[in-house]
Amino acid sequence: MDVLLRAIAAAPDSASPELPAMRALAAVTTALVQESCRRHRLHGLEAIALGRALTAGCLLTTLTKSPAERLRVDARSFSDLPGVAGADGEPGGFLLDAHGDGTVRGCLRRGFGDSPLRATLEHASGRLPLSPFLGRRGALTVTRDFDLSSGTDSRYQGTVELVAGEVDLDLEHYLNASEQVPSLLRCEVLLDAGGGVLRAAGLLCQTLPGGEGELLAPLRERLAGEALASLLLLPREPADLLRFALGGGPFEAVGETPLAFRCNCGPSVARDIVAMLGADDVDALAGERDVTEVRCSYCGEGYPLTAADLRELAAELRLRRS
């Protein structure tokens, strides 16, 4: 089962191990990443990119511990590789939508193309790099809704330039630069022999208020390079990930959250999207084809609307307007 574990821990090698200095979170996200990649028909580096983003989303919706919290990430990036997303002027990157109840959905803006994927997968080992395909040029915007039920404006939004072209490293940069919380974020996806998702997991460690970023240095060293990828060669639980990151030091678990892929799209949402065209354009669409399919970018689900459905919708729009 996919689950996120929250814990608090003392500083590494602290003389007072009973005094917490950081919060540490670990998430196993294999099933939800597999489901999302199945829906989007992603393999190889594209699956790694989306899987790291989904895992990061699960870890980042932990600020208030409220199921009403919502996190959205809009990453727009540009690659210099010919034929890769963003190289023709249209941005690549990803979209992410995660909630405090442990549900998450996401999608890549565009694919990476087939030929560079094959070459990279054939020659790479350990942590596979995304930066040549995602690109290091661009920006990501993070929007947090802290309490959607409060009826008040509890939104925070921050934007940072990309620094690495790697999903977790750029989101770590956002946490440090925009939210100004010393943070370490590492997310990983392992592939099977066919390029499908074998395992996915991630870690987020942050100092408690008043803590210095230097506290995270030993953890950063342990998680450098392909360390997390190597750890995931065997099945792991979140507690295993925390023990590794903390160098075997003690931690106190403070809560768990089940994690799952979930999309809030549906026939009514698809109908509302088409309604935004206006009555005349909906009528025109009805005359062009027998069935119009509205496909959700976040989950790949398609919702058919017949010509009769569209004409009925156009009539409703005109009635509302009158």
Side-chain angles (χ1 to χ4, degrees):
M1 181 182 73
D2 289 350
V3 65
L4 179 144
L5 175 64
R6 299 179 181 84
I8 54 175
D13 304 320
S14 172
S16 304
E18 73 282 358
L19 296 178
M22 67 179 73
R23 66 188 199 114
L25 304 100
V28 171
T29 57
T30 301
L32 70 87
V33 172
Q34 288 173 335
E35 173 65 12
S36 187
C37 290
R38 180 190 69 79
R39 288 172 172 267
H40 290 292
R41 299 181 178 90
L42 298 183
H43 294 80
L45 288 180
E46 293 171 336
I48 291 175
L50 181 58
R52 289 178 184 171
L54 293 168
T55 302
C58 293
L59 291 164
L60 290 175
T61 50
T62 58
L63 196 60
T64 65
K65 305 182 185 68
S66 167
E69 183 182 352
R70 182 182 184 186
L71 173 98
R72 285 165 289 171
V73 180
D74 182 355
R76 297 170 183 257
S77 58
F78 298 87
S79 173
D80 295 322
L81 289 180
V84 177
D88 57 0
E90 291 295 322
F94 61 91
L95 293 169
L96 177 66
D97 184 19
H99 295 253
D101 64 358
T103 58
V104 63
R105 61 179 184 163
C107 63
L108 298 182
R109 286 188 170 277
R110 300 175 65 190
F112 296 167
D114 188 48
S115 56
L117 295 183
R118 289 179 180 170
T120 301
L121 291 173
E122 287 172 0
H123 296 98
S125 62
R127 180 175 168 92
L128 298 180
L130 297 177
S131 56
F133 309 98
L134 282 176
R136 293 185 176 90
R137 295 182 293 114
L140 64 83
T141 299
V142 178
T143 304
R144 288 188 185 272
D145 293 305
F146 293 106
D147 188 354
L148 300 179
S149 63
S150 66
T152 60
D153 186 4
S154 55
R155 177 176 299 180
Y156 172 83
Q157 186 175 85
T159 299
V160 296
E161 297 295 315
L162 301 182
V163 295
E166 301 289 341
V167 174
D168 48 4
L169 299 183
D170 285 319
L171 283 168
E172 177 188 293
H173 170 63
Y174 160 79
L175 292 171
N176 285 290
S178 184
E179 297 192 0
Q180 298 184 350
V181 180
S183 303
L184 167 64
L185 176 65
R186 293 293 180 273
C187 302
E188 194 52 272
V189 176
L190 258 60
L191 302 177
D192 59 25
V197 175
L198 177 64
R199 294 188 187 91
L203 286 152
L204 171 63
C205 300
Q206 297 181 303
T207 63
L208 294 178
E212 298 295 331
E214 287 76 11
L215 290 176
L216 301 175
L219 285 69
R220 197 175 300 279
E221 183 176 345
R222 276 191 286 273
L223 292 169
E226 60 187 58
L228 184 54
S230 298
L231 185 67
L232 294 178
L233 290 172
L234 296 175
R236 304 292 181 182
E237 298 296 327
D240 300 326
L241 304 180
L242 289 181
R243 278 190 284 269
F244 177 79
L246 297 171
F251 62 86
E252 178 185 351
V254 295
E256 286 189 351
T257 301
L259 303 174
F261 169 86
R262 189 178 73 193
C263 190
N264 59 5
C265 66
S268 62
V269 175
R271 201 169 183 268
D272 290 342
I273 291 172
V274 175
M276 296 172 65
L277 296 173
D280 292 343
D281 285 342
V282 172
D283 252 340
L285 191 60
E288 292 175 2
R289 62 195 74 180
D290 293 332
V291 177
T292 296
E293 184 182 68
V294 179
R295 185 166 294 276
C296 176
S297 297
Y298 278 108
C299 71
E301 192 70 36
Y303 299 95
L305 292 169
T306 66
D309 294 331
L310 294 175
R311 292 190 180 98
E312 179 184 348
L313 175 58
E316 290 180 13
L317 293 174
R318 291 192 177 96
L319 184 61
R320 292 180 204 168
R321 190 171 59 191
S322 63

